[in-house]
Amino acid sequence: MSTTNLQFMLASVLGAEHADQLSGLLQIPASTLRPRSDTVSRIEIAQALNMLLFEKLLKAVPQGNDYVQDSVRAGNKIRFDHGALRTVLGISTGTLPAGEAAFTRILRPLGYRVNGIYPLQRISMTGRAYAHEDDAEEIAQFFLSELHPHNFSVEFQHTVNRVLATSQDPIDPHSAQLLQQLGADQALPLADALQLLPVLVACFDRQHDLPSIADYQTLLAESAEMAWISTEGNAFNHATDRVPNVEQVAEAQRALGRAIKEKIEVSRNGRVRQTAFRASTVTRAMRDENGVLVEMKVPGSFYEFISRDRYLDADSQAEKLDLTFDSANAQGIFKMTASATPAANAPEMNQR
């Protein structure tokens, strides 16, 4: 039997062997390794969710999985820095709350608070970073972005409405009650946590029907980001490995022939540096003008790398890790999905 709450939860969801394999990939914060008990804290639940989402991302991004397996074989573990996801604000989203509200109702009870707001004007989005109150440097952050459809054409807005109106909320009333209890008590009985975890994982997925080819192309013509949301929904857009030297990692991956971004994105203060593999290509079935399902190749998720420097905080005179993000960096990284997008008038497709 697992000796920590975290490992017990993972084993309950994945099975013991699978849970051990996942734990072998990641550096696990000491703050989350607490002895088995009948009650689990919010930080333990947050870490379990992060690990399950990281694994889900690896299944969707073969290059990222290959890199992780190489790292583990070399005796290194991944330091999960943050996961990123996209939402849409101010539009019909069926029974799913619009914009970041779909996730703040999850993140806040788990112990996350806003750690920065980042305008992404070039792509008509706003990004918000959420860091964990109980261990901000070690628990992976969430970079949660909202797209603003009102900045686009009327046709685009109607298309977004049509696509997202089919959204279904994966959080049932019982799970919502458990989240409320978690927010109030900062802990849950273990049995309740085990019920809640799979529901939370399911939130990080597409909750609406796939678009038609015509609707996908309408969205793609104005926003590669919205086109991505139309096929991938609220899945992790990317997961990020915190590495000591992102430049060295990029050179090593390029030497292996992996498709990695040429440019290193550097924050204005110079302390945060990022790059990424190009997005994976995935196949999604969409209907053509005759209602026939067609296999479309579209961009999926990707795997990112980040280096963060430490600095002397002027207010506290304490040394801190720079946990900030940078709007220019984020917009540069977001291009990793846009660059993999087929041309709007010439998508890759196979009729079935």
Side-chain angles (χ1 to χ4, degrees), residues 258-289:
R258 291 176 181 154
I260 196 165
K261 196 173 186 293
E262 287 297 326
K263 180 185 176 184
I264 303 291
E265 302 290 342
V266 181
S267 64
R268 282 172 294 178
N269 66 19
R271 293 194 297 256
V272 181
R273 300 170 300 285
Q274 298 165 259
T275 194
F277 289 133
R278 299 201 175 275
S280 298
T281 298
V282 295
T283 302
R284 301 288 180 250
M286 306 184 207
R287 295 192 182 276
D288 65 12
E289 66 275 13

Side-chain angles (χ1 to χ4, degrees), residues 3 7 13 19 26 34 51 83 105 112 122 150 170 175 180 202-203 217 222 241 252 323 326 333:
T3 58
Q7 199 64 14
V13 174
L26 295 165
R34 302 184 180 183
M51 292 175 71
R105 61 183 176 158
Y112 285 91
R122 291 203 306 269
H150 62 272
S175 298
Q180 186 175 16
C203 292
Q217 292 180 336
E222 297 190 44
D241 183 5
L323 293 174
D326 183 276
I333 289 294

Side-chain angles (χ1 to χ4, degrees), residues 12 29 54 66 75 133 141 154 189 202 206 249 252 261 287 289 292 294 308 322 329 343 348:
S12 298
F54 183 85
D66 290 345
E133 285 188 317
Q141 295 189 77
V154 172
R206 189 187 72 248
V249 170
K261 196 173 186 293
R287 295 192 182 276
E289 66 275 13
V292 177
V294 175
R308 297 184 180 276
D322 191 334
N329 277 19
E348 298 180 49

Side-chain angles (χ1 to χ4, degrees), residues 82 89 93 131-132 139 145 165 179 184 194 222 225 243 252 259 263 286 294 304 308:
H82 71 273
L89 182 65
T93 53
H132 205 281
I139 304 296
S145 57
L179 281 169
L194 290 175
E222 297 190 44
E225 289 72 34
V243 297
K263 180 185 176 184
M286 306 184 207
V294 175
E304 184 189 36
R308 297 184 180 276

